[in-house]
Each structure stands twice: as C-alpha cells, then as structure tokens.
Amino acid sequence: MAANVHLVKNLAYDPLRDFEPITLLTGNPLVLVVRSDLPIKSVGELIAYAKARPGKMNYGVGNSGNKVAVGLLQSLTGISATEIPYKGASQAMLELVGGRLDFIISDPLVADQFIKQGAIRPLAVTAAVPLPSMRSLPTMAEAGVAGYTEITTFLALYAPRGTPKAIIHVLNDAFVKAINSKAGQDQYERMGLVTKTSTPQGLATFNKEQIAVWEHLAKVSGLQPE
C-alpha cells in the first residue's frame, strides 16, 4: 500500500483510489536475523564477514519491506550480497532456518518463533527505539550503521472502493475497540507487533505520508521498479 508504488512497474491498483480506509492496525519495525551456525553475533560482525566475502553471502526477500531494508543496509555499509526473492516472508524465513540463506531483515511476527527456538540469531531492529518484545536488541543505528533511518511496515484494514461510509465507521469502531483492549494489546505484543489504530481519515493521511516515505527509502537504497 506504499512501498510497491515505487518498486513495482505498472502496479495494477492504486492504494489511494481503489480502497476505502478503515483503520491502522499496527506499525511494525523489522528485525535483522542471521543463520545460527554463522560466526556472527552483531551487526558489526555481519558487515565485516560480508566485506571479507563480497558477493558470496545471500539474503532472502519476501516483500517490499524486506527488500528496501536490506538495500538500505548495503547502501550505507558498502557490503554486497546476493538477493534471493520468494513469494512471501514466511517462505524466505524457512529457507533461512533450513540453512539455504545467510540473513534476512524480516517481520518480527515471522521471525519470533524461530528466534525463541534458537534456529536463527537476531542482531538488531529497524526501529528508532528498541522493540518492546525484543528489548535486548539494539536499533540499527545503535548497532553502528550510521544514517540507518527507521523502517517500519504497517498493517491496516481497508474495504473495497464505494463501501458505504456507515459500514466503514461500524468496522472502524469495532476494530479499534478490539485492538486497544487488554486482550488485543497482549496478543499483538506476543506476536512482536506494535499496535497503532486510527480513524478512516487518519489512515488515508498516513497512507499518503507512507508513499512519500517509501519513495525516499527506495531512492536512498538505490532500488528501481521491477
């Protein structure tokens, strides 16, 4: 709903024109993880390891957020690794766990269970401040990647264009109450997600802002539409 505007040629939909916004659900920083069998325990060690093996490391991409996050890391640090595209973040994560990838910058929701199992090793988050569910991890900037701006993806609820406003407001009210309840907050925190609700108009404004944010991120990451 934001990044693809700048990363996909001839996008088949318009995020602002073709949907009726209902509410934001979450704002999600990403987490940088490596294979647990690699001798890498920090972002600095990953950078040094990659620079000693230019072009020999690989990483998985399951969505546009993953792609831009690694693109920015490579642009700022000068490392070079091979991108392996997948149909989704979960598929890419399974390939990392299976030892066929070296690292990923992915959604905490996808990575969390494998981190807890010790199958992969987390190094840092792409947030401006530590993630509540991963308080021990530094941000990318704290880990030494100067200039690494905050990268967060978001989940939001939309309806088809033309859905009556009365229905939109009923859905907004129901979802905002559920997400902001104690049960909702506890559930999202267990999944490693940060809740962030809005009015329908608030989501429309946020979506416009995010399209501009991701335009900037795509440019500084050196990425072109494909």
Side-chain angles (χ1 to χ4, degrees):
M1 299 300 284
N4 281 358
V5 173
H6 311 293
L7 299 177
V8 178
K9 286 183 178 179
N10 304 316
L11 194 64
Y13 60 90
D14 185 310
L16 302 178
R17 185 190 65 217
D18 294 339
F19 303 90
E20 299 290 348
I22 297 173
T23 180
L24 271 168
L25 301 175
T26 65
N28 312 310
L30 306 176
V31 58
L32 169 60
V33 292
V34 298
R35 283 191 355 241
S36 59
D37 62 333
L38 288 177
I40 296 171
K41 295 184 178 179
S42 70
V43 176
E45 289 180 0
L46 171 62
I47 294 168
Y49 192 89
K51 284 186 174 180
R53 299 162 179 81
K56 293 184 178 180
M57 295 190 76
N58 62 23
Y59 63 94
V61 165
N63 58 45
S64 53
N66 303 166
K67 184 179 183 74
V68 171
V70 177
L72 183 59
L73 176 64
Q74 293 192 109
S75 174
L76 292 173
T77 62
I79 66 172
S80 175
T82 301
E83 177 184 309
I84 310 296
Y86 295 92
K87 292 182 179 179
S90 295
Q91 184 183 21
M93 186 60 65
L94 290 175
E95 291 290 282
L96 179 68
V97 172
R100 289 173 288 277
L101 295 173
D102 295 315
F103 70 95
I104 293 177
I105 301 181
S106 191
D107 308 81
L109 176 61
V110 176
D112 186 58
Q113 63 173 314
F114 299 110
I115 292 173
K116 290 176 179 175
Q117 293 169 6
I120 56 177
R121 182 179 298 120
L123 302 181
V125 293
T126 65
V129 296
L131 187 63
S133 62
M134 299 180 178
R135 296 183 190 280
S136 63
L137 293 182
T139 66
M140 294 290 277
E142 289 173 339
V145 185
Y148 199 102
T149 54
E150 179 179 33
I151 293 184
T152 58
T153 61
F154 65 93
L155 296 178
L157 193 66
Y158 300 83
R161 181 178 58 183
T163 299
K165 296 297 183 185
I167 293 176
I168 296 296
H169 288 295
V170 168
L171 290 170
N172 175 272
D173 183 65
F175 274 89
V176 169
K177 284 181 179 178
I179 292 166
N180 290 331
S181 68
K182 185 179 185 307
Q185 293 288 303
D186 291 346
Q187 175 67 12
Y188 276 95
E189 183 170 344
R190 281 194 295 271
M191 295 190 295
L193 301 176
V194 180
T195 58
K196 189 175 184 179
T197 58
S198 70
T199 64
Q201 184 55 49
L203 174 54
T205 300
F206 177 82
N207 214 146
K208 291 177 183 178
E209 293 170 349
Q210 286 298 298
I211 289 172
V213 166
W214 284 90
E215 179 181 22
H216 169 72
L217 289 173
K219 286 181 178 178
V220 297
S221 302
L223 299 175
Q224 300 293 326
E226 298 179 355

